[in-house]
Amino acid sequence: MKKYVSLVVLVGLLAIGCAEVDYVGESFKPTTNIDLYFSKEDIEKEYTVMGHAIGSGTYDSNAIQKALIEEAKEKGADAVLITGIDDQDNGYESEVTASFLKYK
């Protein structure tokens, strides 16, 4: 049973580790809380777009989403707006595009 639990934990860590983020934009003091949006219409606060990111990986879009949130924290964003998801034809690769937002 311990081996099974260890294997599940290892696969989970590898899934997150397989995601990478490329970011272009401004950076601020790191933040600890990120709001996540999938539509501009859901954002009720005033904001500026501080940069754009592309997350890619070989596992799934959820792992990429987590990697985008971690990168947003490091760059000092207040929110992430997911702008697109592209699952490649082979079913093993995904790409998620996002804007990093800073509240005014």
Side-chain angles (χ1 to χ4, degrees), residues 44-101:
E44 296 178 354
K45 299 177 182 179
E46 286 190 48
Y47 66 90
T48 60
V49 175
M50 58 179 272
H52 300 281
I54 299 174
S56 57
T58 56
Y59 191 69
D60 69 345
S61 56
N62 288 329
I64 298 169
Q65 178 179 302
K66 289 177 184 177
L68 284 165
I69 290 170
E70 290 305 311
E71 182 76 11
K73 287 178 183 179
E74 290 176 22
K75 298 299 181 186
D78 294 315
V80 172
L81 172 62
I82 301 295
T83 56
I85 299 172
D86 181 22
D87 289 323
Q88 304 297 318
D89 291 337
N90 62 17
Y92 296 107
E93 297 177 25
S94 294
E95 187 173 273
V96 178
T97 55
S99 295
F100 287 7
L101 312 178

Side-chain angles (χ1 to χ4, degrees), residues 4-14:
Y4 178 73
V5 172
S6 297
L7 180 62
V8 170
V9 170
L10 178 62
V11 169
L13 291 173
L14 289 174

Side-chain angles (χ1 to χ4, degrees), residues 14-69:
L14 289 174
I16 292 171
C18 292
E20 67 177 53
V21 175
D22 292 318
Y23 173 76
V24 175
E26 297 180 77
S27 294
F28 299 94
K29 180 181 173 187
T31 54
T32 57
N33 186 40
I34 298 292
D35 295 329
L36 181 64
Y37 298 100
F38 295 93
S39 171
K40 284 194 279 189
E41 291 75 27
D42 292 339
I43 306 170
E44 296 178 354
K45 299 177 182 179
E46 286 190 48
Y47 66 90
T48 60
V49 175
M50 58 179 272
H52 300 281
I54 299 174
S56 57
T58 56
Y59 191 69
D60 69 345
S61 56
N62 288 329
I64 298 169
Q65 178 179 302
K66 289 177 184 177
L68 284 165
I69 290 170

